[in-house]
Amino acid sequence: MTSEKKGGKKERASDQIEMKLIKAILTREYPTGSTLRPERELAEYYGVGRPTVREALQRLERDGWITVRKGHPAIVNDYWHQGNVMTLVHIIQNHDDVTDEFISYLLELRISLAPVYIRNAVAAHQPKVVALLANLDQLKPDAVSYAAFDWELQKNLTRLSPNPIYLLIVNSFDSFYLKMARRYFSIPEHREASWHYYHELLNVALQGDFIEAERVARKAMEKSLELWRNRTVLEQDK
């Protein structure tokens, strides 16, 4: 039970079972507090040996999805409260539909993270930050272009921050961010707000004022969340 992944690498059977069980938990086939099938039944269902199932279950427990009990079926956890960064990665990988609620969650998280790594990037590599923003006049006024620019900007700013953990966190959103950003930037008002933010950030970066860069970034991130929430409220009222 293997399949080809990108790059020609074989996906292990335990990896496939792990992802299938995660999808079953996310779609509430196995809701919070319920039990998975016994290990023996899972092995029969997926057509693999019990050691393969056990390996998948061990990883699911490590990432907060389940609690394994010796001699009893595993219990499904409340993954929002018991998960970790890998749980978040798996949730993102299984989000076929980018929900308004999940975009709000991501924008809230960005308020906590982005101002800090932007401040650190300006403080440590001011000329390189300026270079990232130097060609703003070439940014095309459409959602796809803004989404691509914003994603590359975030990744490059985290690379310039001395703390490598920010880059690991941002990389976790690689499969999701562009889809989210295209929806966000499909609204002209959102593109206009970001255009002003990029130019304001460029101005403070040119001055090397990393404290002001943090303030500008936080203000812009809070504005993004406000715009998105107002947009969703208006749509619900229609």
Side-chain angles (χ1 to χ4, degrees):
M1 187 178 179
T2 58
S3 65
E4 293 288 341
K5 295 180 74 176
K6 289 182 179 180
K9 294 182 179 179
K10 293 285 187 180
E11 184 179 31
R12 294 180 300 176
S14 60
D15 293 335
Q16 295 181 49
I17 293 168
E18 179 186 7
M19 295 310 297
K20 287 177 180 179
L21 287 172
I22 287 172
K23 196 165 190 69
I25 292 170
L26 289 172
T27 58
R28 299 188 61 78
E29 181 182 337
Y30 293 114
T32 299
S34 67
T35 57
L36 300 182
R37 300 183 188 189
E39 191 178 284
R40 175 182 54 79
E41 290 184 20
L42 287 172
E44 291 175 359
Y45 181 76
Y46 290 114
V48 297
R50 290 181 68 173
T52 300
V53 170
R54 194 171 301 122
E55 182 182 346
L57 294 178
Q58 287 171 348
R59 290 203 298 270
L60 289 172
E61 182 175 44
R62 176 199 67 192
D63 294 338
W65 293 101
I66 63 173
T67 297
V68 174
R69 304 177 298 166
K70 189 173 183 179
H72 299 279
I75 296 177
V76 176
N77 294 336
D78 181 347
Y79 51 84
W80 286 115
H81 290 88
Q82 295 168 266
N84 52 44
V85 172
M86 281 306 301
T87 315
L88 178 62
V89 172
H90 289 145
I91 291 171
I92 292 168
Q93 289 174 344
N94 283 278
H95 258 75
D96 297 324
D97 297 320
V98 183
T99 64
D100 290 347
E101 183 181 36
F102 202 82
I103 291 175
S104 291
Y105 292 157
L106 183 56
L107 291 173
E108 284 183 12
L109 177 64
R110 197 171 66 156
I111 292 171
S112 300
L113 297 179
V116 180
Y117 65 68
I118 289 171
R119 178 196 68 201
N120 294 344
V122 173
H125 298 286
Q126 179 254 354
K128 292 183 179 180
V129 174
V130 171
L132 293 176
L133 297 159
N135 297 315
L136 286 173
D137 291 340
Q138 297 178 17
L139 179 57
K140 296 179 181 178
D142 60 80
V144 172
S145 297
Y146 265 76
F149 176 82
D150 195 76
W151 178 231
E152 287 303 313
L153 179 63
Q154 300 310 315
K155 287 196 295 184
N156 283 315
L157 287 169
T158 56
R159 289 190 185 102
L160 295 176
S161 171
N163 188 338
I165 293 178
Y166 287 117
L167 180 57
L168 293 178
I169 294 172
V170 169
N171 281 341
S172 300
F173 294 94
D174 192 42
S175 63
F176 174 83
Y177 194 96
L178 283 174
K179 288 190 291 186
M180 181 279 293
R182 286 176 193 136
R183 280 193 59 190
Y184 177 83
F185 286 121
S186 65
I187 300 170
E189 183 184 4
H190 296 181
R191 296 197 297 272
E192 182 180 358
S194 291
W195 187 89
H196 287 294
Y197 159 59
Y198 298 147
H199 281 78
E200 193 173 0
L201 182 59
L202 173 59
N203 288 333
V204 296
L206 283 167
Q207 299 168 33
D209 190 341
F210 54 89
I211 299 298
E212 183 65 8
E214 180 180 10
R215 188 197 69 79
V216 166
R218 190 176 305 281
K219 179 181 175 183
M221 302 304 155
E222 291 171 348
K223 179 67 174 179
S224 293
L225 180 59
E226 179 187 352
L227 287 170
W228 183 256
R229 284 177 171 167
N230 289 343
R231 170 255 183 198
T232 54
V233 169
L234 289 172
E235 288 189 350
Q236 290 169 2
D237 290 343
K238 287 181 180 179

